Amino acid sequence: MKTEITEILGIEYPIIQGGMAWVAEHKLAAAVSNAGGLGLIGAASAPADWVRDQVRKAKELTDKPFGVNIMLMSPYADEVAKVIVEEGVKVVTTGAGSPEKYMKMWKEAGVKVIPVVASVALAKRMERCGADALVAEGTEAGGHIGENTTMVLVPQVVDAVHISVIAAGGIADGRGVAAAFMLGARGVQLGTGFVVTAESQVHDNYKNSIIKAKDIDSRVTGRSTGHPVRVLRNQMAKEYIKKEQEGASFEELEQMTLGGLRRAVVDGDVVTGSVMAGQSAAMFKEVLTCKEFIEKLVKETDALIKGAGFYE
């Protein structure tokens, strides 16, 4: 299962684990990389020292390439960008902004830069500033989302740029991976599927919420604020959407979700916490190791598109 993405990143399979805040820490990243994919540490809004510590811990668990996802709106983004270089991280993915001001520093250090994009315009801009590849993420994804679905976003981004595209959003099994390749992607990124793996350090309540989820359990909060976030429905989501409909202020809505993701992931509060998950949540019914999950994806994909010429 070799594509340009496996060559660029030095990995066995073109499967990347999403850099999810509070979820994507060193144990999960190392397990994914050891299983042949690319594990990511999610820097989110964490300070640089935490990221440095996570990178060093991941190196103790794997000698395979892994990366760091930087949320560019983080107050610590400048310091984390330097940690990437200082600690010899091989790959960085970016979200919530443009990484242009760090590009020269990263490229000189040999870091592969893969921005996450939700539009053709941003994809073109990222290619111009030197991105090595792109993650085109559809609205089916969990957490912060754009408007276009994976089905329509991926082929448009593929047609608009000359660099390799990784599809994300709504991919849960080999059918989704095969579909992504048919749309022109050369790799896939999954988030929700890795949340429910054995190595994921999230609270069992969070994992169980995903495993028990039905097809109609996905909700989007924050559309009125311009910052839509996909979560599983619970008391918090219900109250948030009700307040949105009543015209609550941005500040009031922000207060409702403050620390909500941490409460769900770490404390297991899946009632008033923010249970971020993609629309694919209902497709996960068991806890597998990262190795089992990746092998399942590869086997299913191979069975579907072997001989189609999409990868060697």
Side-chain angles (χ1 to χ4, degrees):
M1 199 173 182
K2 303 289 183 193
T3 71
E4 300 96 300
I5 292 298
T6 57
E7 310 266 323
I8 291 167
L9 303 180
I11 56 179
E12 194 175 350
Y13 306 119
I15 296 169
I16 297 169
Q17 161 241 317
M20 303 158 283
W22 290 105
V23 174
E25 46 67 74
H26 72 279
K27 287 179 184 169
L28 180 59
V32 173
S33 291
N34 283 334
L38 183 82
L40 291 177
I41 292 164
S45 295
D49 286 346
W50 181 86
V51 178
R52 191 187 302 277
D53 182 55
Q54 288 286 305
V55 168
R56 290 179 178 179
K57 284 177 175 172
K59 283 181 179 174
E60 290 171 12
L61 298 176
T62 186
D63 57 359
K64 303 279 174 59
F66 65 88
V68 171
N69 172 267
I70 298 186
M71 188 181 77
L72 296 165
M73 281 170 61
S74 164
Y76 304 106
D78 288 354
E79 293 95 323
V80 174
K82 288 178 189 153
V83 167
I84 300 297
V85 174
E86 290 162 5
E87 295 299 322
V89 174
K90 304 289 186 203
V91 186
V92 62
T93 66
T94 65
S98 170
E100 284 162 83
K101 67 174 176 174
Y102 310 122
M103 213 51 122
K104 185 173 183 290
M105 172 176 70
W106 285 340
K107 302 303 281 185
E108 285 173 358
V111 181
K112 301 295 183 190
V113 185
I114 307 179
V116 179
V117 301
S119 72
V120 167
L122 186 56
K124 287 180 174 177
R125 185 174 156 194
M126 293 300 94
E127 181 180 38
R128 282 197 302 273
C129 77
D132 293 279
L134 298 167
V135 174
E137 185 177 77
T139 193
E140 297 95 324
H144 295 272
I145 52 169
E147 281 297 321
N148 279 333
T149 63
T150 306
M151 180 70 96
V152 298
L153 178 67
V154 171
Q156 289 185 80
V157 171
V158 167
D159 289 349
V161 299
H162 299 95
I163 52 178
S164 296
V165 176
I166 296 155
I171 299 165
D173 57 19
R175 292 171 295 182
V177 180
F181 281 120
M182 295 295 176
L183 294 174
R186 310 307 286 158
V188 292
Q189 178 175 289
L190 296 90
T192 308
F194 283 112
V195 174
V196 294
T197 55
E199 294 91 344
S200 164
Q201 301 296 295
V202 309
H203 198 286
D204 281 347
N205 291 355
Y206 198 108
K207 289 186 187 182
N208 290 335
S209 290
I210 292 172
I211 288 168
K212 290 175 183 170
K214 299 191 291 292
D215 60 330
I216 56 171
D217 284 344
S218 187
R219 291 288 180 273
V220 177
T221 60
R223 285 203 192 277
S224 66
T225 68
H227 300 285
V229 174
R230 187 174 299 286
V231 296
L232 292 182
R233 63 174 172 177
N234 62 1
Q235 184 184 312
M236 186 283 293
K238 187 179 175 184
E239 288 175 7
Y240 189 106
I241 291 167
K242 184 170 180 283
K243 282 190 180 295
E244 274 193 287
Q245 290 166 345
E246 290 168 354
S249 68
F250 176 75
E251 290 73 23
E252 188 182 346
L253 292 168
E254 278 289 284
Q255 203 59 41
M256 276 189 76
T257 56
L258 208 59
L261 182 59
R262 185 193 181 282
R263 281 203 307 279
V265 171
V266 180
D267 303 333
D269 179 358
V270 294
V271 178
T272 69
S274 187
V275 185
M276 293 187 189
Q279 286 184 320
S280 63
M283 297 175 74
F284 299 104
K285 299 299 178 194
E286 59 183 337
V287 174
L288 302 174
T289 66
C290 289
K291 189 171 188 293
E292 289 167 341
F293 181 43
I294 288 176
E295 284 176 351
K296 178 175 176 282
L297 289 172
V298 172
K299 187 179 175 187
E300 290 172 350
T301 307
D302 280 347
L304 288 164
I305 65 173
K306 217 168 180 106
F310 282 88
Y311 55 73
E312 293 165 17

